[in-house]
């Protein structure tokens, strides 16, 4: 099957969050299935151009029409792909090349990614890769199914399109002038792009894609409700017949405590006590905490965004430090209020709290390996990947039972039996506190029980093999629809 995957980020080339990880592992897992040919298309950001690890060859250039605009589009191909995936970059200096830093957040993001979506389709035709299936991701590529449906493209007669929602919070809103000025779609597509008097490209994708998926089963159900769907509940409930949840995996080769070059000692599920203890001691030293082997180290690697449940942690942090012997370590950047809270807390309790306000993949791996307890109290979580990374490294998760956290971390009892971590159902600080205390008390009171739980976490299969098969089943279904 010929599969084209379109996304605004993909590791290792460019990544701001979980989408980037998924766009590294999913194409690769699909390409390992015999008979598949997989093409991945990404914008050619300045950051990639300046990175000497990624040599590209120029294939050709074309002109992409965007309303009244005529824009240059260079098609570049990665010279030495690491696996069976052919990686193409869409080059346009004005949209992607000259901007420093962040890959999102510019005032013209709507136009930038409308260009990217259209350029991907034009480029597929130019390189002669007419896919059976196009899989596109989040609002940045949400216009693809609409462009296909609007029959701009007789070149794709049988191509089917899947749209995947990684987070419904970011929908691609634009002022209504965007419809004529940038999209210039046939007038009959206006209702499908219109929501509450503005343009919403995610809505259009949900309506025009052949199938819609999201990144966990629980989240696919939650999307029917206003509490989770950020105004999209009706649009998604109307599309329930074509909406499926497929829980993400993680890249078990990258995240592997037996081989990870970023961590100081290696271990596996059979024998991990010593290796993990060495990782913990080294981590404590690295972040400036006392090297206490028997004090549980509570860790979190996260974007410091509101929906990650940081308000709960802020509310209980002092109580926890008073009531339990523990250390807390946070790594991440984001909203200033949280950056300040954790920096202040670390300054107040330098022996017990460390806050690293940065984006550091190496330190993240050392935290997964060196931590004892992984905190993830997200208010909502489409899938979440770091709880799986943590489990793979034997760090026990304490999570809010929502979205993908509910699907990947079945709750255990206070003896640590019957599940993979400690969970709480209703989103409030006291329940989070209770779950954390149950986990800390198991660690302090029954270390063998805690180790059995760690071992079970490490033995889980979080690989992409099964999810990739589920994607294949849905691709087949689209083709026979
Ligand atoms: C988004 C979601 C996260 C999910 C990731 C990959 O970042 O917020 O829950 O794991 O996408 O699908």
């Amino acid at each position: 099957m010929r599969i084209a995957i379109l996304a605004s980020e993909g590791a290792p080339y460019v990544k701001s969050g979980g989408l980037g990880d998924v766009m590294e592992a999913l194409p690769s897992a699909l390409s390992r299935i015999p008979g598949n040919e997989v093409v991945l298309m990404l914008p050619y950001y300045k950051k990639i151009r300046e990175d000497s690890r990624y040599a590209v060859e120029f294939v050709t250039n074309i002109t992409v029409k965007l309303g009244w605009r005529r824009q240059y589009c260079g098609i570049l191909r990665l010279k030495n792909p690491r696996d069976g995936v052919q990686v193409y970059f869409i080059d346009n200096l004005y949209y992607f090349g000259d901007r420093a830093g962040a890959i999102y957040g510019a005032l013209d993001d709507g136009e930038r990614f409308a260009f990217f979506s259209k350029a991907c389709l034009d480029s597929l035709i130019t390189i002669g890769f007419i896919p059976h299936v196009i899989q596109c991701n989040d609002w940045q590529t949400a216009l693809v199914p609409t462009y296909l449906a609007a029959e701009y493209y007789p070149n794709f007669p049988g191509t089917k399109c899947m749209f995947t929602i990684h987070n419904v919070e970011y929908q691609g809103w634009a002022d209504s002038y965007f419809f004529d000025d940038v999209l210039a779609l046939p007038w009959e597509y206006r209702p499908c792009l219109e929501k509450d008097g503005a343009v919403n490209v995610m809505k259009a994708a949900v309506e025009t894609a052949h199938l819609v998926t999201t990144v966990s089963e629980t989240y696919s159900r939650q999307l029917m409700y206003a509490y989770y769907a950020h105004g999209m509940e009706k649009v998604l409930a109307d599309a329930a017949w074509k909406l499926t949840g497929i829980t993400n995996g993680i890249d078990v080769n990258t995240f592997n405590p037996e081989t990870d070059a970023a961590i100081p000692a290696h271990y596996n599920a059979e024998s991990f006590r010593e290796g993990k203890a060495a990782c913990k001691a080294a981590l404590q030293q690295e972040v400036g905490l006392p090297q206490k082997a028997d004090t549980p180290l509570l860790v979190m690697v996260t974007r410091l965004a509101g929906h990650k449940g940081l308000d709960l942690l802020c509310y209980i942090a002092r109580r926890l430090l008073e009531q339990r012997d523990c250390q807390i370590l946070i790594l991440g950047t984001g909203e200033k209020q949280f950056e300040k809270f954790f920096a202040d807390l670390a300054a107040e309790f330098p022996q017990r709290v460390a806050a690293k306000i940065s984006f550091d993949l190496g330190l993240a791996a050392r935290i997964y390996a060196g931590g004892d307890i992984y905190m993830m109290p997200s208010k909502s979580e489409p899938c979440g990947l770091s709880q799986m990374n943590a489990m793979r490294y034997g760090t026990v998760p304490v999570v809010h039972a929502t979205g993908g956290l509910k699907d990947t971390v079945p709750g255990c009892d206070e003896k640590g039996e019957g599940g993979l971590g400690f969970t709480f159902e209703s989103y409030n600080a006291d329940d989070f506190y209770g779950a954390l205390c149950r986990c800390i008390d198991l660690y302090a009171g029954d270390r063998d029980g805690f180790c059995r739980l760690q071992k079970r976490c490490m033995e889980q299969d979080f690989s992409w093999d099964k999810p990739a098969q589920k994607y294949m089943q849905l691709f087949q279904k689209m083709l026979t629809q």
Side-chain angles (χ1 to χ4, degrees):
M1 191 184 293
R2 284 188 300 279
I3 304 164
I5 299 182
L6 315 180
S8 55
E9 57 180 275
Y13 318 105
V14 57
K15 160 177 156 177
S16 78
L19 173 63
D21 289 308
V22 173
M23 289 301 114
E24 176 174 26
L26 173 62
S28 177
L30 289 170
S31 77
R32 286 195 295 272
I33 296 174
N36 282 350
E37 256 184 277
V38 181
V39 158
L40 171 67
M41 290 190 156
L42 300 168
Y44 197 48
Y45 300 105
K46 179 176 183 179
K47 193 172 162 301
I48 307 177
R49 191 179 67 215
E50 289 176 350
D51 194 326
S52 58
R53 285 171 300 175
Y54 308 127
V56 295
E57 59 197 349
F58 175 80
V59 179
T60 185
N61 66 289
I62 55 177
T63 299
V64 172
K65 284 194 210 167
L66 203 61
W68 50 267
R69 301 165 189 76
R70 300 289 177 270
Q71 297 291 17
Y72 171 90
C73 165
I75 306 174
L76 310 176
R77 183 169 47 219
L78 185 71
K79 260 194 184 154
N80 303 306
R82 300 169 312 148
D83 49 23
V85 182
Q86 288 279 353
V87 183
Y88 286 88
F89 296 107
I90 299 297
D91 182 27
N92 174 295
L93 280 180
Y94 169 65
Y95 289 127
F96 302 118
D98 282 337
R99 303 177 193 219
I103 57 178
Y104 312 124
L107 280 179
D108 63 345
D109 270 5
E111 183 183 322
R112 293 169 73 212
F113 290 105
F115 164 79
F116 177 66
S117 301
K118 206 144 184 265
C120 283
L121 290 172
D122 290 349
S123 301
L124 286 170
I125 296 169
T126 306
I127 63 172
F129 188 84
I130 303 300
H132 295 101
V133 165
I134 298 178
Q135 191 267 342
C136 48
N137 299 279
D138 277 352
W139 75 266
Q140 294 89 347
T141 49
L143 285 163
V144 169
T146 310
Y147 280 132
L148 274 179
E151 287 171 12
Y152 269 25
Y153 290 101
N155 317 56
F156 294 110
T159 300
K160 300 292 165 114
C161 192
M162 171 187 284
F163 177 62
T164 300
I165 299 173
H166 294 262
N167 194 335
V168 79
E169 213 174 318
Y170 311 108
Q171 300 172 5
W173 287 95
D175 199 280
S176 59
Y177 82 88
F178 191 79
F179 183 84
D180 290 319
D181 183 57
V182 177
L183 304 182
L185 279 158
W187 187 242
E188 64 265 30
Y189 278 86
R190 195 167 169 104
C192 135
L193 277 142
E194 201 268 345
K195 190 169 183 336
D196 307 335
V199 166
N200 180 311
V201 297
M202 181 182 275
K203 171 174 177 278
V206 170
E207 291 184 6
T208 52
H210 295 96
L211 286 181
V212 180
T213 65
T214 186
V215 289
S216 72
E217 277 167 45
T218 297
Y219 193 60
S220 72
R221 287 182 173 72
Q222 291 175 328
L223 285 177
M224 309 286 117
Y225 299 97
Y227 182 82
Y228 297 98
H230 294 267
M232 290 291 281
E233 57 278 4
K234 172 129 191 355
V235 172
L236 286 158
D238 287 347
W241 63 273
K242 59 174 167 177
L243 175 66
T244 313
I246 302 178
T247 304
N248 288 330
I250 56 170
D251 189 327
V252 290
N253 296 321
T254 307
F255 295 101
N256 184 352
E258 273 190 291
T259 54
D260 192 333
I263 65 176
H266 293 119
Y267 57 92
N268 58 33
E270 293 318 308
S271 151
F272 59 87
R273 281 199 183 200
E274 255 179 48
K276 209 164 154 59
C279 288
K280 177 173 174 178
L283 176 63
Q284 285 167 322
Q285 187 178 34
E286 178 176 355
V287 301
L289 289 170
Q291 287 181 316
K292 292 189 173 175
D294 292 323
T295 296
L297 176 56
L298 278 52
V299 298
M300 197 167 179
V301 178
T302 184
R303 267 185 303 125
L304 297 175
H307 71 255
K308 294 291 177 187
L310 296 155
D311 49 344
L312 301 194
L313 184 57
C314 294
Y315 192 78
I316 60 158
R318 281 196 171 72
R319 197 194 318 169
L320 196 65
L321 291 166
E322 272 166 29
Q323 307 271 327
R324 292 290 187 283
D325 175 32
C326 64
Q327 295 176 337
I328 297 177
L329 165 59
I330 310 283
L331 169 66
T333 60
E335 290 173 29
K336 292 288 165 268
Q337 46 164 335
F338 297 123
E339 292 189 351
K340 181 168 178 340
F341 178 90
F342 291 112
D344 288 352
L345 196 70
E348 193 181 333
F349 299 93
Q351 299 293 307
R352 306 196 50 201
V353 179
K356 300 289 159 198
I357 308 300
S358 63
F359 182 87
D360 180 339
L361 294 175
L363 179 56
R366 289 189 288 282
I367 291 178
Y368 294 130
D372 295 302
I373 297 173
Y374 192 81
M375 301 181 284
M376 200 154 170
S378 309
K379 186 169 189 188
S380 74
E381 193 61 75
C383 179
L385 302 172
S386 55
Q387 79 279 14
M388 291 189 264
N389 299 341
M391 286 189 272
R392 176 118 172 103
Y393 287 76
T395 301
V396 172
V398 176
V399 306
H400 177 212
T402 186
L405 294 174
K406 185 168 182 159
D407 296 342
T408 54
V409 187
C412 55
D413 63 18
E414 61 280 7
K415 296 200 186 79
E417 304 292 342
L420 295 173
F422 291 83
T423 64
F424 60 102
E425 290 285 329
S426 106
Y427 185 76
N428 73 72
D430 289 318
D431 288 4
F432 177 41
Y433 179 74
L436 273 175
C437 287
R438 286 198 298 282
C439 190
I440 293 172
D441 293 347
L442 180 71
Y443 178 94
D446 176 9
R447 190 65 64 81
D448 287 339
F450 190 84
C451 284
R452 282 196 298 278
L453 177 55
Q454 288 179 297
K455 182 169 161 57
R456 268 208 311 288
C457 288
M458 293 181 74
E459 284 168 350
Q460 298 306 305
D461 176 11
F462 292 121
S463 76
W464 266 97
D465 298 341
K466 281 185 207 146
Q469 288 296 348
K470 291 188 183 159
Y471 275 90
M472 286 306 291
Q473 281 163 12
L474 291 183
F475 291 165
Q476 297 286 4
K477 182 171 162 187
M478 290 199 292
L479 292 172
T480 50
Q481 243 173 21

